[in-house]
Amino acid sequence: MAAYDPHEGFVAPARPASALIQTAAGFLAIEFLFGLGRSGLVWIAAGISPGFAQVLVARATGAAILIDLFSFALLAALVIWVARRNHDRGARSLIGPSALARQDFPRALGGALLILLAIELVLFAPAESGADMQSLPGWLLLLPVSAAALLVQTGAEELFYRGYLQQQLAARFSQRWIWLVVPNLIFASVHWYADQGHAASVRYVVWAFFFGLAASDLVARSGSLGAAVGFHMANNIFAFLVVGEAGAPDSGLALFLLPPRVVPGEGAAAPAEPILGLAIGVDLFLVLLLWLAVRVAIRR
């Protein structure tokens, strides 16, 4: 069996309504309505309190992060709605065989978490790094809610990028590179954060593209979204819940907080920060390790 044979079954439900104009209209509707919904959430928050709206936009507290993550339920609902109205197919067709997805999700999640845990144990020593540990009982008490919020966020993104977009493009185009590259260029583009600085944003976008490419490959090899959601969620568990940077966005749920990074020579005379270097190489190597770990875990 060829590596991507399971992808044919995954894509099959999208073939009857795979006209490019249908997919483009569906994509634009999802993007527009999700953006409108997120803006509406900020507008409601501003009506409650301008300060609360600022905290929500900055994702500066644990509560703000949870609200932001749970808001991705709207994205999932919109994808399902567009698939039904625009392509006459239901949510299950976006996920793949439910038994397979249920089997691959915990395997992928566990395999990726084991690799991340091993790396953290080897490279990260809280005392030596100067990290502050948050209240462990409080962190554990909130953990089920935090994990549920991450499942909503990662599941919604996989449903949209590797479910809807990947399926629709694969149903329309026989060229493999189109359904591997195009959804992940879009996925990468939403990871541009101008307030992080140009170099940091470029590195984040490059990382997101290759991360998405790995997720697309896992979907194609397995025939469902289960492995990709587990892969994505494991990464986000460590990014949101384990180690963060004090005062940085998305760090409010982390168990360990590192001291804020100091950029040397800030100002007009500051040296240019390299866009591509050792840091992005290490990040991409980690993506490779996680991808390999998930493949072993799901035996594909």
Side-chain angles (χ1 to χ4, degrees), residues 176-202:
R176 184 176 294 178
W177 71 266
I178 294 178
W179 56 261
L180 279 172
V181 171
V182 173
N184 293 309
L185 285 176
I186 298 170
F187 175 69
S189 70
V190 302
H191 288 76
W192 177 271
Y193 295 118
D195 56 350
Q196 292 185 350
H198 179 74
S201 289
V202 170

Side-chain angles (χ1 to χ4, degrees), residues 59 65 69 109 112-113 116-117 120 139 143 146 150 153-154 157 191 193 196 204 207 211 230-246 248-258 261 283 286-287 290:
R59 305 185 308 277
I65 296 168
L69 293 174
L109 179 64
L113 283 176
L116 289 166
L117 180 60
E120 291 293 330
W139 184 83
L143 185 58
S146 302
L150 286 175
Q153 181 245 338
T154 55
E157 289 191 342
H191 288 76
Y193 295 118
Q196 292 185 350
Y204 196 23
W207 171 85
F211 183 87
F231 170 73
H232 197 159
M233 187 169 175
N235 176 82
N236 285 18
I237 283 173
F238 271 76
F240 282 86
L241 304 185
V242 180
V243 181
E245 180 185 331
D250 298 332
S251 62
L253 299 173
L255 179 59
F256 298 103
L257 289 177
L258 295 167
R261 286 175 294 176
D283 287 343
L286 178 57
V287 171
L290 294 179

Side-chain angles (χ1 to χ4, degrees), residues 76-258:
L78 287 170
V79 173
I80 294 168
W81 177 74
V82 164
R84 171 63 68 189
R85 294 297 298 269
N86 212 30
H87 306 277
D88 195 29
R89 59 194 186 99
R92 290 185 180 182
S93 71
L94 293 161
I95 298 169
S98 56
L100 182 61
R102 287 195 302 268
Q103 168 188 288
D104 283 350
F105 169 73
R107 290 178 177 178
L109 179 64
L113 283 176
L114 282 175
I115 291 294
L116 289 166
L117 180 60
I119 291 171
E120 291 293 330
L121 290 174
V122 170
L123 299 180
F124 178 70
E128 295 178 7
S129 64
D132 290 326
M133 183 176 177
Q134 307 308 298
S135 167
L136 182 59
W139 184 83
L140 289 172
L141 187 64
L142 193 60
L143 185 58
V145 179
S146 302
L150 286 175
L151 181 59
V152 168
Q153 181 245 338
T154 55
E157 289 191 342
E158 292 306 316
L159 199 68
F160 182 35
Y161 295 105
R162 261 69 67 176
Y164 178 74
L165 285 178
Q166 182 166 322
Q167 276 184 331
Q168 289 297 131
L169 291 174
R172 176 65 179 83
F173 298 101
S174 60
Q175 297 92 335
R176 184 176 294 178
W177 71 266
I178 294 178
W179 56 261
L180 279 172
V181 171
V182 173
N184 293 309
L185 285 176
I186 298 170
F187 175 69
S189 70
V190 302
H191 288 76
W192 177 271
Y193 295 118
D195 56 350
Q196 292 185 350
H198 179 74
S201 289
V202 170
R203 286 196 298 271
Y204 196 23
V205 166
V206 170
W207 171 85
F209 172 76
F210 283 100
F211 183 87
L213 200 63
S216 287
D217 175 86
L218 291 171
V219 170
R221 289 178 184 277
S222 65
S224 85
L225 290 184
V229 176
F231 170 73
H232 197 159
M233 187 169 175
N235 176 82
N236 285 18
I237 283 173
F238 271 76
F240 282 86
L241 304 185
V242 180
V243 181
E245 180 185 331
D250 298 332
S251 62
L253 299 173
L255 179 59
F256 298 103
L257 289 177
L258 295 167

